[in-house]
């Protein structure tokens, strides 16, 4: 049963601290997305990668957020320094390779971040 | 960012009743996806639709891709308590697995 995994599941930190979230996409999926969910805004795209290359990170505050894929099995989202307004649930999703007729995205369980 | 118009925002129904929710957009989508999210979990894919007019079922769930490609609906028949959760529609503009555009969700409550 292939799944997207994310760590940590929960993170509580103080304002100004660095936060790193990790994602392991489904094996064979070469597109990885980072979404953020808040009550006010719902689900929003932060960034996404294909074949480990960033394609769009326009949804991220560039001064404090960074996203990378050091290898095909690991995607990271880092916030430095964190602020209370960053409190949200961060989801990683992996997508079936382009070219197939059935584009689909599968979500991880999320990292619930609270910045005090 | 752009979002889909999803309605209703919330529903309270009796167990055994049928449920219907829908999403509309001013833009054309190539793919419609329906997800369910339980508390503390990520969205789980329920149904994927790839062709205008397509009607697809998954157990008690049925979803349709509107012929204009600007809308989709999801029906749940004979609701049960475990149907409780938030249902999201999501659209893809392009093929090749690009970012999803989401509705704000329909919160479903089932009264036993």
């Amino acid at each position: 049963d292939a799944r997207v995994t994310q760590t940590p599941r929960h993170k509580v930190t103080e304002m100004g601290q660095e936060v790193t979230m990790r994602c392991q996409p489904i094996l064979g999926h070469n597109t990885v997305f980072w979404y953020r969910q808040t009550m006010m805004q719902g689900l929003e795209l932060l960034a996404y990668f294909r074949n480990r290359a960033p394609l769009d990170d326009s949804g991220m505050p560039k001064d404090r957020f960074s996203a990378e894929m050091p290898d095909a099995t690991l995607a990271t989202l880092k916030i430095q320094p964190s602020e209370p307004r960053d409190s949200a649930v961060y989801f990683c999703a992996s997508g079936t390779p382009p070219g197939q007729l059935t584009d689909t995205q599968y979500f991880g369980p999320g990292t619930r971040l609270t910045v005090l | 960012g752009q979002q889909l118009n999803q309605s209703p925002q919330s529903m309270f129904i009796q167990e055994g009743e049928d449920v219907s929710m829908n999403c509309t957009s001013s833009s054309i989508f190539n793919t419609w996806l329906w997800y369910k999210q339980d508390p503390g979990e990520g969205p789980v894919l329920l149904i994927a639709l790839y062709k205008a007019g397509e009607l697809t079922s998954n157990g008690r769930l049925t979803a349709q891709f509107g012929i204009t490609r600007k809308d989709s609906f999801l029906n749940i028949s004979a609701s049960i308590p475990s149907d409780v959760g938030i249902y999201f529609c999501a659209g893809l503009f392009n093929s090749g697995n690009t970012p999803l555009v989401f509705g704000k969700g329909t919160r479903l409550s089932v009264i036993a």
Side-chain angles (χ1 to χ4, degrees), chain A residues 33 35 43-45 48 93 103-107, chain B residues 2-4 29 31-35 43 45 89-93 97-103:
Chain A
F33 303 83
Y35 295 96
L43 280 156
E44 300 177 296
L45 177 74
Y48 80 107
D103 289 338
T104 312
Q105 293 180 22
Y106 297 91
F107 283 75
Chain B
Q2 180 174 1
Q3 285 192 323
L4 303 174
F29 287 99
T31 299
W32 284 89
L33 305 173
W34 284 92
Y35 290 86
L45 183 66
C89 61
L92 278 169
F93 284 115
N97 225 327
T98 48
L100 293 171
V101 178
F102 288 93

PDB file of all heavy atoms in Angstrom, chain A residues 33 35 43-45 48 93 103-107, chain B residues 2-4 29 31-35 43 45 89-93 97-103:
ATOM      1  N   PHE A  33       4.321  18.088  -4.471  1.00  0.00           N
ATOM      2  CA  PHE A  33       3.684  19.373  -4.173  1.00  0.00           C
ATOM      3  C   PHE A  33       3.703  19.629  -2.672  1.00  0.00           C
ATOM      4  O   PHE A  33       3.550  18.714  -1.874  1.00  0.00           O
ATOM      5  CB  PHE A  33       2.217  19.355  -4.613  1.00  0.00           C
ATOM      6  CG  PHE A  33       2.003  19.031  -6.070  1.00  0.00           C
ATOM      7  CD1 PHE A  33       1.972  17.717  -6.508  1.00  0.00           C
ATOM      8  CD2 PHE A  33       1.823  20.045  -6.996  1.00  0.00           C
ATOM      9  CE1 PHE A  33       1.762  17.415  -7.841  1.00  0.00           C
ATOM     10  CE2 PHE A  33       1.617  19.751  -8.335  1.00  0.00           C
ATOM     11  CZ  PHE A  33       1.585  18.432  -8.753  1.00  0.00           C
ATOM     12  N   TYR A  35       1.432  21.883  -0.080  1.00  0.00           N
ATOM     13  CA  TYR A  35       0.245  22.700   0.114  1.00  0.00           C
ATOM     14  C   TYR A  35       0.148  23.092   1.590  1.00  0.00           C
ATOM     15  O   TYR A  35       0.623  22.386   2.467  1.00  0.00           O
ATOM     16  CB  TYR A  35      -1.032  21.930  -0.250  1.00  0.00           C
ATOM     17  CG  TYR A  35      -1.188  21.543  -1.701  1.00  0.00           C
ATOM     18  CD1 TYR A  35      -0.818  20.275  -2.139  1.00  0.00           C
ATOM     19  CD2 TYR A  35      -1.736  22.431  -2.628  1.00  0.00           C
ATOM     20  CE1 TYR A  35      -0.983  19.907  -3.471  1.00  0.00           C
ATOM     21  CE2 TYR A  35      -1.901  22.064  -3.956  1.00  0.00           C
ATOM     22  CZ  TYR A  35      -1.524  20.801  -4.364  1.00  0.00           C
ATOM     23  OH  TYR A  35      -1.695  20.437  -5.679  1.00  0.00           O
ATOM     24  N   LEU A  43      -6.974  25.191   1.238  1.00  0.00           N
ATOM     25  CA  LEU A  43      -5.754  24.552   0.734  1.00  0.00           C
ATOM     26  C   LEU A  43      -5.129  25.419  -0.343  1.00  0.00           C
ATOM     27  O   LEU A  43      -5.765  25.765  -1.327  1.00  0.00           O
ATOM     28  CB  LEU A  43      -6.086  23.170   0.164  1.00  0.00           C
ATOM     29  CG  LEU A  43      -6.243  22.063   1.187  1.00  0.00           C
ATOM     30  CD1 LEU A  43      -7.101  20.936   0.637  1.00  0.00           C
ATOM     31  CD2 LEU A  43      -4.872  21.538   1.596  1.00  0.00           C
ATOM     32  N   GLU A  44      -3.858  25.734  -0.137  1.00  0.00           N
ATOM     33  CA  GLU A  44      -3.150  26.594  -1.087  1.00  0.00           C
ATOM     34  C   GLU A  44      -1.811  25.966  -1.458  1.00  0.00           C
ATOM     35  O   GLU A  44      -1.135  25.392  -0.612  1.00  0.00           O
ATOM     36  CB  GLU A  44      -2.839  27.957  -0.456  1.00  0.00           C
ATOM     37  CG  GLU A  44      -4.019  28.763   0.005  1.00  0.00           C
ATOM     38  CD  GLU A  44      -3.555  30.038   0.663  1.00  0.00           C
ATOM     39  OE1 GLU A  44      -2.895  29.955   1.715  1.00  0.00           O
ATOM     40  OE2 GLU A  44      -3.830  31.131   0.113  1.00  0.00           O
ATOM     41  N   LEU A  45      -1.416  26.153  -2.715  1.00  0.00           N
ATOM     42  CA  LEU A  45      -0.129  25.656  -3.174  1.00  0.00           C
ATOM     43  C   LEU A  45       0.991  26.565  -2.684  1.00  0.00           C
ATOM     44  O   LEU A  45       0.905  27.785  -2.790  1.00  0.00           O
ATOM     45  CB  LEU A  45      -0.095  25.613  -4.700  1.00  0.00           C
ATOM     46  CG  LEU A  45       1.242  25.174  -5.300  1.00  0.00           C
ATOM     47  CD1 LEU A  45       1.444  23.674  -5.131  1.00  0.00           C
ATOM     48  CD2 LEU A  45       1.319  25.581  -6.773  1.00  0.00           C
ATOM     49  N   TYR A  48       6.052  23.373  -6.016  1.00  0.00           N
ATOM     50  CA  TYR A  48       6.075  22.009  -6.483  1.00  0.00           C
ATOM     51  C   TYR A  48       7.309  21.735  -7.345  1.00  0.00           C
ATOM     52  O   TYR A  48       7.910  22.654  -7.898  1.00  0.00           O
ATOM     53  CB  TYR A  48       4.786  21.600  -7.177  1.00  0.00           C
ATOM     54  CG  TYR A  48       4.557  22.015  -8.606  1.00  0.00           C
ATOM     55  CD1 TYR A  48       4.638  21.103  -9.648  1.00  0.00           C
ATOM     56  CD2 TYR A  48       4.161  23.314  -8.905  1.00  0.00           C
ATOM     57  CE1 TYR A  48       4.348  21.466 -10.944  1.00  0.00           C
ATOM     58  CE2 TYR A  48       3.880  23.684 -10.206  1.00  0.00           C
ATOM     59  CZ  TYR A  48       3.960  22.760 -11.214  1.00  0.00           C
ATOM     60  OH  TYR A  48       3.668  23.125 -12.514  1.00  0.00           O
ATOM     61  N   ALA A  93       2.098  16.304  -1.287  1.00  0.00           N
ATOM     62  CA  ALA A  93       1.349  15.421  -2.176  1.00  0.00           C
ATOM     63  C   ALA A  93       2.277  14.972  -3.291  1.00  0.00           C
ATOM     64  O   ALA A  93       3.130  15.747  -3.744  1.00  0.00           O
ATOM     65  CB  ALA A  93       0.123  16.122  -2.758  1.00  0.00           C
ATOM     66  N   ASP A 103      -4.001  11.679 -14.410  1.00  0.00           N
ATOM     67  CA  ASP A 103      -3.313  12.522 -13.434  1.00  0.00           C
ATOM     68  C   ASP A 103      -4.013  12.422 -12.099  1.00  0.00           C
ATOM     69  O   ASP A 103      -5.224  12.610 -12.005  1.00  0.00           O
ATOM     70  CB  ASP A 103      -3.338  13.981 -13.886  1.00  0.00           C
ATOM     71  CG  ASP A 103      -2.439  14.224 -15.077  1.00  0.00           C
ATOM     72  OD1 ASP A 103      -1.514  13.430 -15.295  1.00  0.00           O
ATOM     73  OD2 ASP A 103      -2.667  15.213 -15.793  1.00  0.00           O
ATOM     74  N   THR A 104      -3.251  12.126 -11.074  1.00  0.00           N
ATOM     75  CA  THR A 104      -3.812  12.002  -9.735  1.00  0.00           C
ATOM     76  C   THR A 104      -2.773  12.477  -8.741  1.00  0.00           C
ATOM     77  O   THR A 104      -1.573  12.352  -9.002  1.00  0.00           O
ATOM     78  CB  THR A 104      -4.173  10.534  -9.438  1.00  0.00           C
ATOM     79  OG1 THR A 104      -4.897  10.005 -10.532  1.00  0.00           O
ATOM     80  CG2 THR A 104      -5.024  10.424  -8.195  1.00  0.00           C
ATOM     81  N   GLN A 105      -3.232  13.009  -7.632  1.00  0.00           N
ATOM     82  CA  GLN A 105      -2.326  13.406  -6.558  1.00  0.00           C
ATOM     83  C   GLN A 105      -2.759  12.747  -5.258  1.00  0.00           C
ATOM     84  O   GLN A 105      -3.952  12.723  -4.940  1.00  0.00           O
ATOM     85  CB  GLN A 105      -2.295  14.926  -6.405  1.00  0.00           C
ATOM     86  CG  GLN A 105      -1.667  15.621  -7.596  1.00  0.00           C
ATOM     87  CD  GLN A 105      -1.615  17.118  -7.466  1.00  0.00           C
ATOM     88  OE1 GLN A 105      -1.674  17.665  -6.364  1.00  0.00           O
ATOM     89  NE2 GLN A 105      -1.508  17.805  -8.594  1.00  0.00           N
ATOM     90  N   TYR A 106      -1.779  12.257  -4.520  1.00  0.00           N
ATOM     91  CA  TYR A 106      -2.020  11.587  -3.258  1.00  0.00           C
ATOM     92  C   TYR A 106      -1.343  12.390  -2.149  1.00  0.00           C
ATOM     93  O   TYR A 106      -0.175  12.761  -2.263  1.00  0.00           O
ATOM     94  CB  TYR A 106      -1.467  10.163  -3.284  1.00  0.00           C
ATOM     95  CG  TYR A 106      -2.149   9.294  -4.314  1.00  0.00           C
ATOM     96  CD1 TYR A 106      -1.645   9.191  -5.604  1.00  0.00           C
ATOM     97  CD2 TYR A 106      -3.316   8.601  -4.000  1.00  0.00           C
ATOM     98  CE1 TYR A 106      -2.276   8.418  -6.562  1.00  0.00           C
ATOM     99  CE2 TYR A 106      -3.954   7.820  -4.950  1.00  0.00           C
ATOM    100  CZ  TYR A 106      -3.427   7.734  -6.229  1.00  0.00           C
ATOM    101  OH  TYR A 106      -4.063   6.974  -7.168  1.00  0.00           O
ATOM    102  N   PHE A 107      -2.095  12.601  -1.076  1.00  0.00           N
ATOM    103  CA  PHE A 107      -1.630  13.454   0.004  1.00  0.00           C
ATOM    104  C   PHE A 107      -1.047  12.655   1.158  1.00  0.00           C
ATOM    105  O   PHE A 107      -1.490  11.546   1.459  1.00  0.00           O
ATOM    106  CB  PHE A 107      -2.796  14.294   0.548  1.00  0.00           C
ATOM    107  CG  PHE A 107      -3.153  15.454  -0.338  1.00  0.00           C
ATOM    108  CD1 PHE A 107      -3.847  15.254  -1.512  1.00  0.00           C
ATOM    109  CD2 PHE A 107      -2.790  16.745   0.009  1.00  0.00           C
ATOM    110  CE1 PHE A 107      -4.176  16.317  -2.341  1.00  0.00           C
ATOM    111  CE2 PHE A 107      -3.124  17.819  -0.798  1.00  0.00           C
ATOM    112  CZ  PHE A 107      -3.800  17.596  -1.978  1.00  0.00           C
TER     113      PHE A 107
ATOM    114  N   GLN B   2      -6.704  31.200  -7.103  1.00  0.00           N
ATOM    115  CA  GLN B   2      -8.040  30.841  -7.539  1.00  0.00           C
ATOM    116  C   GLN B   2      -8.577  29.681  -6.733  1.00  0.00           C
ATOM    117  O   GLN B   2      -7.836  28.771  -6.360  1.00  0.00           O
ATOM    118  CB  GLN B   2      -8.008  30.452  -9.017  1.00  0.00           C
ATOM    119  CG  GLN B   2      -9.368  30.066  -9.564  1.00  0.00           C
ATOM    120  CD  GLN B   2      -9.343  29.818 -11.047  1.00  0.00           C
ATOM    121  OE1 GLN B   2      -8.309  29.919 -11.667  1.00  0.00           O
ATOM    122  NE2 GLN B   2     -10.480  29.502 -11.625  1.00  0.00           N
ATOM    123  N   GLN B   3      -9.860  29.687  -6.484  1.00  0.00           N
ATOM    124  CA  GLN B   3     -10.519  28.571  -5.833  1.00  0.00           C
ATOM    125  C   GLN B   3     -11.810  28.264  -6.548  1.00  0.00           C
ATOM    126  O   GLN B   3     -12.397  29.108  -7.213  1.00  0.00           O
ATOM    127  CB  GLN B   3     -10.794  28.875  -4.361  1.00  0.00           C
ATOM    128  CG  GLN B   3      -9.549  28.801  -3.490  1.00  0.00           C
ATOM    129  CD  GLN B   3      -9.869  28.822  -2.022  1.00  0.00           C
ATOM    130  OE1 GLN B   3     -10.780  29.514  -1.600  1.00  0.00           O
ATOM    131  NE2 GLN B   3      -9.119  28.091  -1.233  1.00  0.00           N
ATOM    132  N   LEU B   4     -12.244  27.039  -6.372  1.00  0.00           N
ATOM    133  CA  LEU B   4     -13.511  26.613  -6.921  1.00  0.00           C
ATOM    134  C   LEU B   4     -14.635  26.992  -5.960  1.00  0.00           C
ATOM    135  O   LEU B   4     -14.425  27.110  -4.765  1.00  0.00           O
ATOM    136  CB  LEU B   4     -13.504  25.100  -7.121  1.00  0.00           C
ATOM    137  CG  LEU B   4     -12.378  24.562  -8.014  1.00  0.00           C
ATOM    138  CD1 LEU B   4     -12.392  23.055  -8.005  1.00  0.00           C
ATOM    139  CD2 LEU B   4     -12.540  25.103  -9.417  1.00  0.00           C
ATOM    140  N   PHE B  29     -11.620  22.936 -16.665  1.00  0.00           N
ATOM    141  CA  PHE B  29     -10.649  22.012 -16.124  1.00  0.00           C
ATOM    142  C   PHE B  29     -10.577  20.747 -16.973  1.00  0.00           C
ATOM    143  O   PHE B  29     -11.557  20.308 -17.556  1.00  0.00           O
ATOM    144  CB  PHE B  29     -11.006  21.626 -14.681  1.00  0.00           C
ATOM    145  CG  PHE B  29     -10.744  22.731 -13.698  1.00  0.00           C
ATOM    146  CD1 PHE B  29     -11.778  23.551 -13.264  1.00  0.00           C
ATOM    147  CD2 PHE B  29      -9.472  22.947 -13.213  1.00  0.00           C
ATOM    148  CE1 PHE B  29     -11.536  24.579 -12.361  1.00  0.00           C
ATOM    149  CE2 PHE B  29      -9.226  23.967 -12.311  1.00  0.00           C
ATOM    150  CZ  PHE B  29     -10.256  24.780 -11.892  1.00  0.00           C
ATOM    151  N   THR B  31      -9.344  17.871 -15.522  1.00  0.00           N
ATOM    152  CA  THR B  31      -9.513  16.787 -14.557  1.00  0.00           C
ATOM    153  C   THR B  31     -10.224  17.332 -13.332  1.00  0.00           C
ATOM    154  O   THR B  31      -9.927  18.444 -12.889  1.00  0.00           O
ATOM    155  CB  THR B  31      -8.134  16.218 -14.127  1.00  0.00           C
ATOM    156  OG1 THR B  31      -7.451  15.696 -15.266  1.00  0.00           O
ATOM    157  CG2 THR B  31      -8.284  15.118 -13.084  1.00  0.00           C
ATOM    158  N   TRP B  32     -11.160  16.538 -12.821  1.00  0.00           N
ATOM    159  CA  TRP B  32     -11.795  16.855 -11.538  1.00  0.00           C
ATOM    160  C   TRP B  32     -11.510  15.709 -10.578  1.00  0.00           C
ATOM    161  O   TRP B  32     -11.618  14.540 -10.943  1.00  0.00           O
ATOM    162  CB  TRP B  32     -13.312  17.005 -11.689  1.00  0.00           C
ATOM    163  CG  TRP B  32     -13.762  18.280 -12.318  1.00  0.00           C
ATOM    164  CD1 TRP B  32     -13.944  18.517 -13.649  1.00  0.00           C
ATOM    165  CD2 TRP B  32     -14.099  19.491 -11.651  1.00  0.00           C
ATOM    166  NE1 TRP B  32     -14.377  19.803 -13.841  1.00  0.00           N
ATOM    167  CE2 TRP B  32     -14.487  20.438 -12.634  1.00  0.00           C
ATOM    168  CE3 TRP B  32     -14.124  19.882 -10.308  1.00  0.00           C
ATOM    169  CZ2 TRP B  32     -14.874  21.728 -12.320  1.00  0.00           C
ATOM    170  CZ3 TRP B  32     -14.522  21.180  -9.996  1.00  0.00           C
ATOM    171  CH2 TRP B  32     -14.889  22.090 -11.003  1.00  0.00           C
ATOM    172  N   LEU B  33     -11.155  16.068  -9.354  1.00  0.00           N
ATOM    173  CA  LEU B  33     -10.901  15.076  -8.315  1.00  0.00           C
ATOM    174  C   LEU B  33     -11.751  15.402  -7.095  1.00  0.00           C
ATOM    175  O   LEU B  33     -11.971  16.575  -6.783  1.00  0.00           O
ATOM    176  CB  LEU B  33      -9.410  15.076  -7.915  1.00  0.00           C
ATOM    177  CG  LEU B  33      -8.390  14.865  -9.044  1.00  0.00           C
ATOM    178  CD1 LEU B  33      -6.973  15.071  -8.517  1.00  0.00           C
ATOM    179  CD2 LEU B  33      -8.533  13.487  -9.653  1.00  0.00           C
ATOM    180  N   TRP B  34     -12.216  14.366  -6.430  1.00  0.00           N
ATOM    181  CA  TRP B  34     -12.956  14.538  -5.173  1.00  0.00           C
ATOM    182  C   TRP B  34     -12.190  13.836  -4.062  1.00  0.00           C
ATOM    183  O   TRP B  34     -11.787  12.672  -4.198  1.00  0.00           O
ATOM    184  CB  TRP B  34     -14.365  13.971  -5.268  1.00  0.00           C
ATOM    185  CG  TRP B  34     -15.296  14.852  -6.053  1.00  0.00           C
ATOM    186  CD1 TRP B  34     -15.567  14.793  -7.387  1.00  0.00           C
ATOM    187  CD2 TRP B  34     -16.068  15.935  -5.536  1.00  0.00           C
ATOM    188  NE1 TRP B  34     -16.463  15.774  -7.742  1.00  0.00           N
ATOM    189  CE2 TRP B  34     -16.792  16.492  -6.623  1.00  0.00           C
ATOM    190  CE3 TRP B  34     -16.241  16.496  -4.267  1.00  0.00           C
ATOM    191  CZ2 TRP B  34     -17.658  17.574  -6.480  1.00  0.00           C
ATOM    192  CZ3 TRP B  34     -17.107  17.577  -4.121  1.00  0.00           C
ATOM    193  CH2 TRP B  34     -17.795  18.103  -5.219  1.00  0.00           C
ATOM    194  N   TYR B  35     -11.970  14.572  -2.955  1.00  0.00           N
ATOM    195  CA  TYR B  35     -11.235  14.063  -1.803  1.00  0.00           C
ATOM    196  C   TYR B  35     -12.125  14.139  -0.558  1.00  0.00           C
ATOM    197  O   TYR B  35     -13.006  14.989  -0.454  1.00  0.00           O
ATOM    198  CB  TYR B  35      -9.982  14.908  -1.525  1.00  0.00           C
ATOM    199  CG  TYR B  35      -8.873  14.795  -2.536  1.00  0.00           C
ATOM    200  CD1 TYR B  35      -8.854  15.589  -3.674  1.00  0.00           C
ATOM    201  CD2 TYR B  35      -7.814  13.912  -2.339  1.00  0.00           C
ATOM    202  CE1 TYR B  35      -7.824  15.499  -4.598  1.00  0.00           C
ATOM    203  CE2 TYR B  35      -6.769  13.818  -3.258  1.00  0.00           C
ATOM    204  CZ  TYR B  35      -6.786  14.615  -4.376  1.00  0.00           C
ATOM    205  OH  TYR B  35      -5.748  14.531  -5.279  1.00  0.00           O
ATOM    206  N   PRO B  43      -6.130  14.776   2.938  1.00  0.00           N
ATOM    207  CA  PRO B  43      -7.209  14.418   2.014  1.00  0.00           C
ATOM    208  C   PRO B  43      -6.937  13.069   1.352  1.00  0.00           C
ATOM    209  O   PRO B  43      -5.815  12.782   0.937  1.00  0.00           O
ATOM    210  CB  PRO B  43      -7.175  15.557   0.991  1.00  0.00           C
ATOM    211  CG  PRO B  43      -6.507  16.702   1.692  1.00  0.00           C
ATOM    212  CD  PRO B  43      -5.500  16.062   2.600  1.00  0.00           C
ATOM    213  N   LEU B  45      -8.100  10.553  -1.743  1.00  0.00           N
ATOM    214  CA  LEU B  45      -8.770  10.577  -3.037  1.00  0.00           C
ATOM    215  C   LEU B  45      -9.938   9.597  -3.061  1.00  0.00           C
ATOM    216  O   LEU B  45      -9.794   8.421  -2.716  1.00  0.00           O
ATOM    217  CB  LEU B  45      -7.777  10.229  -4.145  1.00  0.00           C
ATOM    218  CG  LEU B  45      -8.314  10.283  -5.570  1.00  0.00           C
ATOM    219  CD1 LEU B  45      -8.671  11.718  -5.955  1.00  0.00           C
ATOM    220  CD2 LEU B  45      -7.306   9.708  -6.547  1.00  0.00           C
ATOM    221  N   CYS B  89     -13.591  19.285  -3.559  1.00  0.00           N
ATOM    222  CA  CYS B  89     -13.394  19.102  -4.980  1.00  0.00           C
ATOM    223  C   CYS B  89     -12.076  19.764  -5.357  1.00  0.00           C
ATOM    224  O   CYS B  89     -11.616  20.701  -4.676  1.00  0.00           O
ATOM    225  CB  CYS B  89     -14.540  19.707  -5.782  1.00  0.00           C
ATOM    226  SG  CYS B  89     -14.739  21.490  -5.564  1.00  0.00           S
ATOM    227  N   ALA B  90     -11.462  19.279  -6.412  1.00  0.00           N
ATOM    228  CA  ALA B  90     -10.203  19.858  -6.877  1.00  0.00           C
ATOM    229  C   ALA B  90     -10.140  19.707  -8.384  1.00  0.00           C
ATOM    230  O   ALA B  90     -10.612  18.700  -8.937  1.00  0.00           O
ATOM    231  CB  ALA B  90      -9.003  19.174  -6.225  1.00  0.00           C
ATOM    232  N   GLY B  91      -9.572  20.712  -9.033  1.00  0.00           N
ATOM    233  CA  GLY B  91      -9.475  20.691 -10.481  1.00  0.00           C
ATOM    234  C   GLY B  91      -8.043  20.864 -10.952  1.00  0.00           C
ATOM    235  O   GLY B  91      -7.229  21.498 -10.277  1.00  0.00           O
ATOM    236  N   LEU B  92      -7.782  20.273 -12.100  1.00  0.00           N
ATOM    237  CA  LEU B  92      -6.495  20.429 -12.766  1.00  0.00           C
ATOM    238  C   LEU B  92      -6.736  21.116 -14.098  1.00  0.00           C
ATOM    239  O   LEU B  92      -7.539  20.642 -14.905  1.00  0.00           O
ATOM    240  CB  LEU B  92      -5.834  19.081 -13.028  1.00  0.00           C
ATOM    241  CG  LEU B  92      -5.054  18.430 -11.890  1.00  0.00           C
ATOM    242  CD1 LEU B  92      -4.699  17.001 -12.254  1.00  0.00           C
ATOM    243  CD2 LEU B  92      -3.811  19.231 -11.580  1.00  0.00           C
ATOM    244  N   PHE B  93      -6.013  22.231 -14.321  1.00  0.00           N
ATOM    245  CA  PHE B  93      -6.158  22.919 -15.597  1.00  0.00           C
ATOM    246  C   PHE B  93      -5.541  22.125 -16.731  1.00  0.00           C
ATOM    247  O   PHE B  93      -6.082  22.030 -17.824  1.00  0.00           O
ATOM    248  CB  PHE B  93      -5.484  24.294 -15.549  1.00  0.00           C
ATOM    249  CG  PHE B  93      -6.262  25.322 -14.792  1.00  0.00           C
ATOM    250  CD1 PHE B  93      -5.771  25.874 -13.635  1.00  0.00           C
ATOM    251  CD2 PHE B  93      -7.497  25.755 -15.248  1.00  0.00           C
ATOM    252  CE1 PHE B  93      -6.493  26.828 -12.932  1.00  0.00           C
ATOM    253  CE2 PHE B  93      -8.220  26.709 -14.551  1.00  0.00           C
ATOM    254  CZ  PHE B  93      -7.714  27.246 -13.384  1.00  0.00           C
ATOM    255  N   ASN B  97       0.112  16.641 -14.593  1.00  0.00           N
ATOM    256  CA  ASN B  97       0.129  16.754 -13.133  1.00  0.00           C
ATOM    257  C   ASN B  97       0.682  18.076 -12.641  1.00  0.00           C
ATOM    258  O   ASN B  97       1.833  18.209 -12.238  1.00  0.00           O
ATOM    259  CB  ASN B  97       0.885  15.597 -12.488  1.00  0.00           C
ATOM    260  CG  ASN B  97       0.110  15.052 -11.317  1.00  0.00           C
ATOM    261  OD1 ASN B  97      -0.575  15.815 -10.626  1.00  0.00           O
ATOM    262  ND2 ASN B  97       0.192  13.773 -11.112  1.00  0.00           N
ATOM    263  N   THR B  98      -0.161  19.061 -12.725  1.00  0.00           N
ATOM    264  CA  THR B  98       0.131  20.412 -12.260  1.00  0.00           C
ATOM    265  C   THR B  98      -0.655  20.666 -10.971  1.00  0.00           C
ATOM    266  O   THR B  98      -1.435  19.806 -10.551  1.00  0.00           O
ATOM    267  CB  THR B  98      -0.259  21.407 -13.367  1.00  0.00           C
ATOM    268  OG1 THR B  98      -1.565  21.087 -13.823  1.00  0.00           O
ATOM    269  CG2 THR B  98       0.694  21.323 -14.538  1.00  0.00           C
ATOM    270  N   PRO B  99      -0.431  21.782 -10.309  1.00  0.00           N
ATOM    271  CA  PRO B  99      -1.080  21.995  -9.011  1.00  0.00           C
ATOM    272  C   PRO B  99      -2.605  21.969  -9.068  1.00  0.00           C
ATOM    273  O   PRO B  99      -3.217  22.412 -10.037  1.00  0.00           O
ATOM    274  CB  PRO B  99      -0.590  23.385  -8.596  1.00  0.00           C
ATOM    275  CG  PRO B  99       0.710  23.525  -9.283  1.00  0.00           C
ATOM    276  CD  PRO B  99       0.548  22.829 -10.602  1.00  0.00           C
ATOM    277  N   LEU B 100      -3.190  21.459  -7.985  1.00  0.00           N
ATOM    278  CA  LEU B 100      -4.639  21.414  -7.862  1.00  0.00           C
ATOM    279  C   LEU B 100      -5.184  22.769  -7.432  1.00  0.00           C
ATOM    280  O   LEU B 100      -4.565  23.490  -6.656  1.00  0.00           O
ATOM    281  CB  LEU B 100      -5.038  20.363  -6.824  1.00  0.00           C
ATOM    282  CG  LEU B 100      -4.761  18.903  -7.176  1.00  0.00           C
ATOM    283  CD1 LEU B 100      -5.003  18.026  -5.961  1.00  0.00           C
ATOM    284  CD2 LEU B 100      -5.629  18.468  -8.334  1.00  0.00           C
ATOM    285  N   VAL B 101      -6.378  23.069  -7.926  1.00  0.00           N
ATOM    286  CA  VAL B 101      -7.161  24.199  -7.435  1.00  0.00           C
ATOM    287  C   VAL B 101      -8.293  23.595  -6.627  1.00  0.00           C
ATOM    288  O   VAL B 101      -8.999  22.708  -7.115  1.00  0.00           O
ATOM    289  CB  VAL B 101      -7.706  25.047  -8.588  1.00  0.00           C
ATOM    290  CG1 VAL B 101      -8.570  26.183  -8.046  1.00  0.00           C
ATOM    291  CG2 VAL B 101      -6.565  25.592  -9.434  1.00  0.00           C
ATOM    292  N   PHE B 102      -8.487  24.068  -5.401  1.00  0.00           N
ATOM    293  CA  PHE B 102      -9.422  23.429  -4.490  1.00  0.00           C
ATOM    294  C   PHE B 102     -10.675  24.255  -4.255  1.00  0.00           C
ATOM    295  O   PHE B 102     -10.648  25.490  -4.286  1.00  0.00           O
ATOM    296  CB  PHE B 102      -8.768  23.213  -3.126  1.00  0.00           C
ATOM    297  CG  PHE B 102      -7.736  22.142  -3.113  1.00  0.00           C
ATOM    298  CD1 PHE B 102      -6.402  22.446  -3.328  1.00  0.00           C
ATOM    299  CD2 PHE B 102      -8.094  20.832  -2.894  1.00  0.00           C
ATOM    300  CE1 PHE B 102      -5.442  21.464  -3.319  1.00  0.00           C
ATOM    301  CE2 PHE B 102      -7.135  19.831  -2.879  1.00  0.00           C
ATOM    302  CZ  PHE B 102      -5.803  20.153  -3.100  1.00  0.00           C
ATOM    303  N   GLY B 103     -11.767  23.563  -3.948  1.00  0.00           N
ATOM    304  CA  GLY B 103     -12.904  24.206  -3.333  1.00  0.00           C
ATOM    305  C   GLY B 103     -12.642  24.342  -1.838  1.00  0.00           C
ATOM    306  O   GLY B 103     -11.671  23.798  -1.318  1.00  0.00           O
TER     307      GLY B 103
END
